[in-house]
Amino acid sequence: MAATSNENLNALFAPARDGLQPDILGVLESILRLYSISPQELFYKWESYCLKMGPEETKLDLPTARMFQKDVQDNFERSNEGKRSERKPAVSATPRTASKGDVYGMLDELTPNAGSRRLGSVKRKNDFQTPAPKRVATPEKKVNGSSLAGIPFAERQNVGEILQQVNSHVPVAEPPIAPYSESRIRVIANTDIKKFGYKPMSMRLTESSEVLDERIDDFMAMVQKHHKLDENAFGNAAAQSTNDIVAVGRIACDTPEGKLNQASLLLEMSRRMGAGLRVPLKVDSLSAYSFFPGQIVAVRGTNASGNYFQVNEILTLPAPAPPVSAPSAIEAYNEKLGVSEDSTGTPLNVLFASGPYTADDNLDFEPLQALCTKAAEDMVDAMVLTGPFLDIEHPLLASGDFDLPDVKGIAQDADMTTLFRLWISSQLDKVCLAVPSITIILVPSVRDAISKHISWPQEHIIKRELGLAKQVKMLPDPCFVSLNEVLLGITSHDILVQLSREQISHGQKNELLERLPGYLIDQRHFFPLHPPLSRERLTQGDVKATGDCIDLGYLKLGEWSKARPDVLVLPSMLTPSVKIVDSVVVINPGSLSKRKAAGTYSQMTLLPRELSDEERSQTDVTHNVFERARVDVLRI
């Protein structure tokens, strides 16, 4: 048992190393024994602890392990105290008569501040007035039992420190002597923006089931073409048969609120091939696998007993095609970058950041100001910003307990549009004035108070009343957009943290932060998980998470119909990172502002695409962004 526990702890806490140190392992085993929890549950508590303390600053050494042990103990004691207080009935003293006043002091319970009055004292007339409502507690005190006093932004440490990077051999883009006279980037939206303007909260069950069913049939057609299979090779996995068949379906769990594991795996088939039935999957003969709810898989095996489908092989799905461009288009873009026979040109400089853009204890938006100052100083070519911009989870915005600055034209009863102009538009306009050639892309979040579209896929924010410059482009969530030849896939929805909670794997060699975006590439979708997690299952401790408002009827708006992107932008609560997965540069810039401290952002330096003589004669060429793009994750 101890050996199994050690193996599980090493697999969860040190998958890419030789294992945990014996001292650290001893501390973790002590927590398991004291609180009777599983290694997986302990790992979830560790993730929550890292998010609370700051993922990039929290390393699993012996002092940190002991602090983590104390944190688990404190949470356990608070939980027990809360349970005891809920069970314990309120006990009050027996009423006593007084020489003066009402009998048994009954009116004392009906008037404010009665408990502080001495028995027999004379009641004043104003004591019987209607009690005034209590003022909402400000975040300077406590929100959800947690103090919001954090590190002041001006006192943050290690500004500009590089936390992660890829292609370090590519030099960082140097700022030009003066701003360019015109934009060096041509922006093309590769998403039909009009389709996102649907009516939310009108989802029909029949439409949702048709979308889910059609997705299985589409994948079956792709598998048949990719593996060159005859149509007779496919069958119903739920039907009893000794014949070896290929079944295509959706992974599901045997209980609606259960956690996926090897024993709870189900395969849900389409109505055309399997009448929509579900059958248990037996995968004990496989040396390696990885599954999550909603994943479309193609499996080969038999159902001899009629009780379960024995999987002998998992068929690979066809990889999405890489994006391509005509050599003439590449040369036109290179000409904008100054490429000529005598010059290699200057690289593009792009910043990526995600909300929230201010700490929980203020509305100063200092991190956003610092990012805009950085963009103006470096005279970057583009900024890609994802929401939330005005976060509905922000304690001050949620309570409405804040004061507006004394600015001309700002009334004390201002709406969210006015607040956006005051805090967001003003900063972006300064950047546009300093760097007229810049391109700024804004993608909303379901947590944006400024957006009236509350479900995902989400319509873009209406620009008309926000006072934004013409350099600012509004796009929906999710979206594909081309910056010159580079195809970007962007979503502000945190799919990575949900997949990390729900996925199971066995025998996989790649690490979790590479495997998670690989699921999106493999499934050709920005949100392949089904069903999505609720807010209660996502929230851990005092780390907030927003539950999903997924409109299944419009789930096809998140599909990758044409090609995989060159760059995939996936902001997440997980550790900020940049990875190259299947020739795709996957960027998680993290949040620009954490709850109590400064956050992170990403910077990409992209060299011009060099064409060989042979490539110039071809019809289309790949972009090879993963070879010529340097991406750094930095502290703001």
Side-chain angles (χ1 to χ4, degrees), residues 262-376:
Q262 184 176 333
S264 65
L265 278 173
L266 296 179
L267 184 69
E268 177 186 309
M269 287 159 292
S270 66
R271 284 173 288 191
R272 183 170 72 88
M273 289 301 298
L277 296 174
R278 289 181 170 185
V279 60
L281 289 183
K282 195 171 183 180
V283 295
D284 52 356
S285 63
L286 299 177
S287 60
Y289 59 80
S290 59
F291 298 115
F292 64 88
Q295 179 183 8
I296 309 297
V297 296
V299 292
R300 189 192 300 274
T302 58
N303 187 353
S305 65
N307 298 323
Y308 60 86
F309 188 79
Q310 176 66 54
V311 180
N312 300 322
E313 180 188 2
I314 300 177
L315 278 66
T316 58
L317 299 177
V324 295
S325 297
S328 57
I330 298 290
E331 290 180 337
Y333 295 137
N334 285 349
E335 186 176 348
K336 282 188 172 184
L337 303 182
V339 177
S340 63
E341 295 181 357
D342 302 327
S343 174
T344 57
T346 54
L348 286 176
N349 193 356
V350 184
L351 299 182
F352 300 89
S354 176
Y357 292 93
T358 188
D360 275 8
D361 60 349
N362 65 74
L363 288 169
D364 296 333
F365 287 85
E366 293 173 296
L368 179 62
Q369 295 178 28
L371 183 73
C372 292
T373 300
K374 168 75 174 175

Side-chain angles (χ1 to χ4, degrees), residues 298-575:
V299 292
R300 189 192 300 274
T302 58
N303 187 353
S305 65
N307 298 323
Y308 60 86
F309 188 79
Q310 176 66 54
V311 180
N312 300 322
E313 180 188 2
I314 300 177
L315 278 66
T316 58
L317 299 177
V324 295
S325 297
S328 57
I330 298 290
E331 290 180 337
Y333 295 137
N334 285 349
E335 186 176 348
K336 282 188 172 184
L337 303 182
V339 177
S340 63
E341 295 181 357
D342 302 327
S343 174
T344 57
T346 54
L348 286 176
N349 193 356
V350 184
L351 299 182
F352 300 89
S354 176
Y357 292 93
T358 188
D360 275 8
D361 60 349
N362 65 74
L363 288 169
D364 296 333
F365 287 85
E366 293 173 296
L368 179 62
Q369 295 178 28
L371 183 73
C372 292
T373 300
K374 168 75 174 175
E377 290 176 350
D378 290 357
M379 288 178 269
V380 300
D381 294 286
M383 293 174 65
V384 178
L385 307 179
T386 60
F389 298 99
L390 298 182
D391 189 3
I392 59 175
E393 301 284 356
H394 194 286
L396 294 175
L397 289 176
S399 66
D401 187 13
F402 61 90
D403 295 324
L404 290 174
D406 188 12
V407 178
K408 185 178 180 181
I410 302 295
Q412 289 300 313
D413 58 347
D415 57 9
M416 287 297 166
T417 300
T418 306
L419 299 182
F420 189 95
R421 294 167 62 102
L422 173 65
W423 291 322
I424 308 297
S425 300
S426 59
Q427 299 301 322
L428 300 183
D429 287 348
K430 291 178 183 177
V431 180
C432 294
L433 287 174
V435 190
S437 60
I438 196 172
T439 298
I440 301 177
I441 295 174
L442 302 187
V443 177
S445 163
V446 292
R447 287 169 52 178
D448 264 308
I450 191 66
S451 176
K452 297 179 180 179
H453 198 110
I454 60 173
S455 60
W456 191 96
Q458 186 180 15
E459 187 182 18
H460 64 282
I461 299 175
I462 306 303
K463 181 181 176 181
R464 187 183 310 113
E465 300 177 358
L466 300 180
L468 292 167
K470 64 179 181 179
Q471 293 97 320
V472 180
K473 315 293 182 184
M474 298 296 201
L475 292 177
D477 177 26
C479 64
F480 281 102
V481 59
S482 292
L483 302 183
N484 290 349
E485 79 279 4
V486 182
L487 181 62
L488 269 67
I490 309 170
T491 180
S492 63
H493 210 64
D494 193 350
I495 178 60
L496 296 184
V497 75
Q498 297 199 40
L499 286 174
S500 68
R501 296 283 192 273
E502 291 293 281
Q503 66 94 36
I504 61 169
S505 60
H506 170 72
Q508 298 292 327
K509 296 181 179 179
N510 54 342
E511 63 174 358
L512 182 65
L513 292 180
E514 293 180 355
R515 192 159 63 247
L516 296 179
Y519 290 143
L520 274 66
I521 299 172
D522 183 64
Q523 297 291 298
R524 303 165 179 247
H525 204 284
F526 282 105
F527 198 93
L529 184 70
H530 179 77
L533 294 186
S534 64
R535 179 183 176 93
E536 291 74 20
R537 296 179 64 188
L538 274 173
T539 302
Q540 291 188 1
D542 60 351
V543 179
K544 299 177 181 177
T546 302
D548 288 291
C549 304
I550 305 296
D551 197 313
L552 296 178
Y554 292 89
L555 207 60
K556 291 183 72 69
L557 294 176
E559 288 186 351
W560 301 0
S561 57
K562 297 180 180 179
R564 65 174 183 257
D566 293 307
V567 179
L568 188 56
V569 184
L570 301 174
S572 175
M573 290 168 57
L574 298 180
T575 304

Side-chain angles (χ1 to χ4, degrees), residues 327 331 611-621:
E331 290 180 337
L611 295 174
S612 63
D613 294 336
E614 181 181 356
E615 288 177 328
R616 287 188 174 89
S617 62
Q618 297 177 2
T619 305
D620 295 308
V621 295

